[in-house]
Amino acid sequence: MTQKEKGWKEISPAGVCWKPSTQFLTGDWKTYTPVRDPAKCTRCLLCVIFCPDGAIRWKPEANDIEFDLNFCKGCGICANECPTKAIEMKLE
Amino acid sequence: MKSVVKQEVLALNGDEAVAYAAKQSDVDVVAAYPITPQTIIVERFSEYVANGEVETQFVCTESEHSALTACLAASVTGARAFTASASAGLALMHEMLFVTSGCRAPVVMAIANRALSAPLNIHGDHSDTMAQRDSGWIQIYVENAQEAYDSVIQAFKIAENPEVLLPAIVGLDGFTLSHTLENVHVLPDDVVRKFIGVRQFITVINHEGKAVPFRLDPENPTTMGPIALPNYYFEFKRQQEEAMRNALKVISQVNDEYAEISGRKYGDGLLEPYHIGDAEIGIVCLGSTAGTVKSVVDELRAKGVKAGLLRMRTFRPFPVKGVVEALENVKAIAVMDRSMSFGGNGGPVFQEVRNALYDSQKRPQIVNYIYGLGGRDTNPTQIHGIFKDLQRIIEKGRVENLVNFVGLRE
């Protein structure tokens, strides 16, 4: 607990969030990291749709996907769903 | 009290009195599941809905767990929500009781106090609510149907107070109060509506850094109660404790304000003293038993015996200061518990009353009587017996049996 944490008189009741959940980085929970082979990837975006944490984004300007490892929990659903087996889950 | 309004007298049992109070309290949502001896409350209320006498959304749920969940969900959107239960129904709500108080949702719930299984028993005792005493709900125990009516109306005003924002239970003894017909004075609808008023919302800072009303609203999104890890959970619990401390003051204020319109007052809202001021021997109890004790006190006083009663109307928050002030000059005190804390040092009321008196320099003699479990009748002869015990304790100068059982066969 750092000095920056607020005291009970400063926070809103009932656990009302005073900052967005995106500021709470949960990526360090994972044991496995997705590693993609760009050569095998067809940009079908199934992994973007299946990721339960929204941790894979489509970047239209780059015509490519991007893993946000700040939120990826390493569940491996992307690797499982990938039709070309372009994603491998590697032990951290 | 010149502002006391003219009131109609209706013949209502305790459950009907509760339903009538809820009907007048402009409740938006009632979600409920029937259970004896509470069933009449939601039955009557559903008739009001069917007859178009209220604009309430009535939700029939598949369990008490769901009933309270629906009330909580309604309450956090800003609606006024009410439900009722008893015994196993309240026990099934256990998880959601904590979620409701943790979300600071001012739901009001009437409990027709009933024993818990096994063995199955539908009759009155306080085992159900006492088992939930640490769930963060205000607990008010009433003496008669009139007080049940009055307390439900007051409970909305207490629970919704911005300094409190806690859910509240109004407990009425199963059958003794829930099913017994009394003359009940009822206020006019508009007077009740005005007394409670519309819900006010405190302002909170949401995740976008905006100041918004404390309720779920798509126009002003907020998230409440999602998760708090070891670095914040404790702070939220401390806030609930502060709300309970604030409730002590608010319950008294609401009791006073209600007296101005109704002419009825229950002590200071927390404790109702009855000849306890100069008493040498005194009883502490909750609920309908207080009526029996009062009549015994009258008989003893007529004979010159300095007997008294302290009726605990509010058990949560526990009125420590008032208990000490009322009891420290009494020589011997009997605390009556209508529930057991198996393996504990006496019943829950006894434990806390005795605890409160620890800091008093005078330290009166104090003894516990467990009584009336599963609807076992408690009669004036037994109350006389308790007062006689207290006189013997004064003569001997000590308590021999700390925990006693009244009306139990050996």
Side-chain angles (χ1 to χ4, degrees), chain B residues 276-394:
Chain B
I276 199 76
D278 66 339
E280 290 181 351
I281 48 177
I283 283 180
V284 179
C285 75
L286 317 176
S288 62
T289 308
T292 314
V293 178
K294 282 175 184 174
S295 73
V296 173
V297 167
D298 288 347
E299 287 173 31
L300 291 172
R301 285 273 167 178
K303 289 183 203 157
V305 179
K306 286 189 169 177
L309 164 74
L310 184 66
R311 179 169 73 91
M312 190 167 289
R313 179 176 186 243
T314 306
F315 181 66
R316 278 290 178 274
F318 190 83
V320 179
K321 199 164 157 271
V323 165
V324 175
E325 284 170 5
L327 296 180
E328 68 178 353
N329 292 316
V330 181
K331 287 184 183 158
I333 301 153
V335 180
M336 296 181 70
D337 267 289
R338 207 173 180 184
S339 68
M340 285 239 210
S341 175
F342 300 105
N345 193 17
V349 185
F350 175 67
Q351 290 177 26
E352 298 212 25
V353 171
R354 195 169 182 237
N355 173 335
L357 288 168
Y358 184 86
D359 290 327
S360 166
Q361 297 303 313
K362 293 162 190 162
R363 287 270 194 103
Q365 300 284 354
I366 184 162
V367 58
N368 190 203
Y369 291 85
I370 311 279
Y371 77 101
L373 298 192
R376 177 67 51 88
D377 190 35
T378 303
N379 57 42
T381 310
Q382 290 166 347
I383 305 294
H384 274 292
I386 292 173
F387 277 122
K388 276 204 190 96
D389 286 357
L390 291 176
Q391 286 171 323
R392 270 195 295 272
I393 286 168
I394 294 174

Side-chain angles (χ1 to χ4, degrees), chain A residues 1 4-8 11-20 24, chain B residues 102-103 204 206-207 214 223-226 229 231-232 235-236 238-239:
Chain A
M1 273 165 273
K4 280 191 295 183
E5 305 281 27
K6 295 169 195 272
W8 67 269
I11 55 178
S12 292
V16 167
C17 299
W18 60 84
K19 55 187 181 185
F24 185 52
Chain B
C103 281
V204 294
N206 75 357
H207 56 279
F214 176 51
T223 304
M224 40 180 98
L229 294 175
N231 62 343
Y232 272 109
E235 276 69 24
F236 290 115
R238 177 64 182 85
Q239 290 180 332

Side-chain angles (χ1 to χ4, degrees), chain B residues 105-290:
Chain B
V107 175
V108 171
M109 171 157 61
I111 298 293
N113 287 106
R114 165 185 153 180
L116 282 160
S117 299
L120 190 144
N121 180 300
I122 58 166
H123 293 277
D125 73 27
H126 297 151
S127 307
D128 49 7
T129 43
M130 283 299 160
Q132 309 298 350
R133 67 171 187 187
D134 297 335
S135 61
W137 285 57
I138 290 166
Q139 289 196 359
I140 292 171
Y141 292 82
V142 305
E143 186 184 328
N144 48 44
Q146 180 68 63
E147 193 184 356
Y149 167 82
D150 295 333
S151 300
V152 168
I153 294 168
Q154 292 180 19
F156 286 108
K157 201 171 169 70
I158 295 161
E160 293 174 11
N161 185 295
E163 287 184 67
V164 178
L165 289 178
L166 289 174
I169 283 172
V170 174
L172 58 155
D173 288 341
F175 292 100
T176 315
L177 298 183
S178 67
H179 286 61
T180 306
L181 211 61
E182 284 179 36
N183 282 339
V184 176
H185 294 255
V186 298
L187 293 160
D189 293 353
D190 59 325
V191 172
V192 175
R193 210 172 254 238
K194 195 170 155 232
F195 176 76
I196 303 176
V198 292
R199 266 188 76 178
Q200 304 294 315
F201 301 100
I202 60 164
T203 301
V204 294
I205 305 299
N206 75 357
H207 56 279
E208 294 167 317
K210 271 168 62 181
V212 298
F214 176 51
R215 65 188 176 109
L216 292 183
D217 172 12
E219 301 297 320
N220 293 296
T222 49
T223 304
M224 40 180 98
I227 189 170
L229 294 175
N231 62 343
Y232 272 109
Y233 181 85
F234 203 171
E235 276 69 24
F236 290 115
K237 296 300 117 180
R238 177 64 182 85
Q239 290 180 332
Q240 284 174 246
E241 174 60 20
E242 191 68 8
M244 274 289 181
R245 293 180 190 183
N246 294 343
L248 285 170
K249 182 187 70 190
V250 173
I251 292 167
S252 284
Q253 279 170 3
V254 170
N255 182 55
D256 290 343
E257 288 168 30
Y258 191 80
E260 281 178 24
I261 57 163
S262 70
R264 289 183 295 277
K265 199 169 175 167
Y266 301 101
D268 65 353
L270 306 165
L271 297 162
E272 189 202 359
Y274 189 78
H275 295 298
I276 199 76
D278 66 339
E280 290 181 351
I281 48 177
I283 283 180
V284 179
C285 75
L286 317 176
S288 62
T289 308

